[in-house]
Amino acid sequence: MIEGSRDRALFALIYFYGLRVGEVALLTRGDVDLIRSRIVVRRLKGGLWNERPLFASALELLREYLGSDASSPDGPLFPGRSGPLRKRQVQDLFVRYRDRAGLPARYTCHCLRHSIATHLLDAGMSLEFVQDHLGHRSIRSTSIYARITDRHRAAVFLQLEQSPWIVRPAA
């Protein structure tokens, strides 16, 4: 189990928004608006940034973590000893929790990004939505996640069976 409200909020944001470790380190306190339930995401590749709605569970974790924090909006959302948590510190935290959970060493913090992409596709989101969500400029970058899982295949077949466009042979 992940200890501390900071670490729970940190890894939730990495997962929910498919953030790279360097991107979560870029987040400032001002990027999170708990009243409007919004977060500004800055992408490292391509320099894209946009405002996203906060997932309800991410909002709850951020409220728990930040409480009545009145720190500077320019300060890091996840501070370390001198400035924001560094990429290596975030990766080391992930390794600590991964090892405690008994997961194989092949799982890295970046796997959370791959996981949300796969989970969004399994939930029926379009490849274009996942592209936008991950901040990919090219759909080709996103298409690596488009492998068909059994769950996704079953959901698509169910949709096809219910479609009026599919011809059904007369009995």
Side-chain angles (χ1 to χ4, degrees):
M1 181 162 172
I2 296 177
E3 297 172 356
S5 59
R6 181 200 69 180
D7 293 355
R8 284 192 298 275
L10 171 76
F11 290 115
L13 290 181
I14 291 172
Y15 170 73
F16 284 130
Y17 297 96
L19 298 176
R20 295 173 182 93
V21 175
E23 292 167 345
V24 79
L26 289 176
L27 291 171
T28 65
R29 178 60 187 88
D31 290 333
V32 175
D33 185 338
L34 298 178
I35 295 167
R36 292 178 46 239
S37 298
R38 309 290 282 182
I39 185 170
V40 173
V41 174
R42 289 170 181 65
R43 297 296 179 181
L44 286 174
K45 294 186 178 179
L48 301 173
W49 71 274
N50 48 35
E51 189 177 75
R52 303 268 182 200
L54 277 169
F55 284 84
S57 53
L59 177 62
E60 186 178 317
L61 288 168
L62 284 166
R63 281 188 175 139
E64 179 187 334
Y65 165 55
L66 295 171
S68 59
D69 179 23
S71 63
S72 165
D74 295 331
L77 181 59
F78 299 106
R81 286 186 210 105
S82 58
L85 281 177
R86 291 183 176 79
K87 284 172 54 172
R88 188 77 234 159
Q89 290 171 304
V90 174
Q91 291 164 339
D92 288 346
L93 279 171
F94 182 86
V95 167
R96 183 170 20 140
Y97 291 121
R98 179 200 66 204
D99 292 348
R100 274 193 205 159
L103 297 172
R106 72 176 179 272
Y107 293 123
T108 66
C109 200
H110 197 74
C111 288
L112 296 174
R113 181 173 167 85
H114 296 298
S115 295
I116 191 62
T118 302
H119 295 160
L120 289 170
L121 289 169
D122 282 347
M125 298 295 105
S126 69
L127 200 56
E128 291 80 9
F129 177 86
V130 176
Q131 174 189 6
D132 178 67
H133 192 72
L134 296 179
H136 288 160
R137 282 190 164 173
S138 168
I139 197 75
R140 292 180 70 193
S141 301
T142 313
S143 65
I144 63 167
Y145 300 110
R147 73 185 196 334
I148 297 177
T149 64
D150 287 336
R151 174 187 252 163
H152 190 244
R153 183 179 292 115
V156 168
F157 270 91
L158 184 61
Q159 285 178 326
L160 287 172
E161 284 182 336
Q162 297 170 353
S163 171
W165 298 103
I166 301 297
V167 176
R168 289 167 187 77

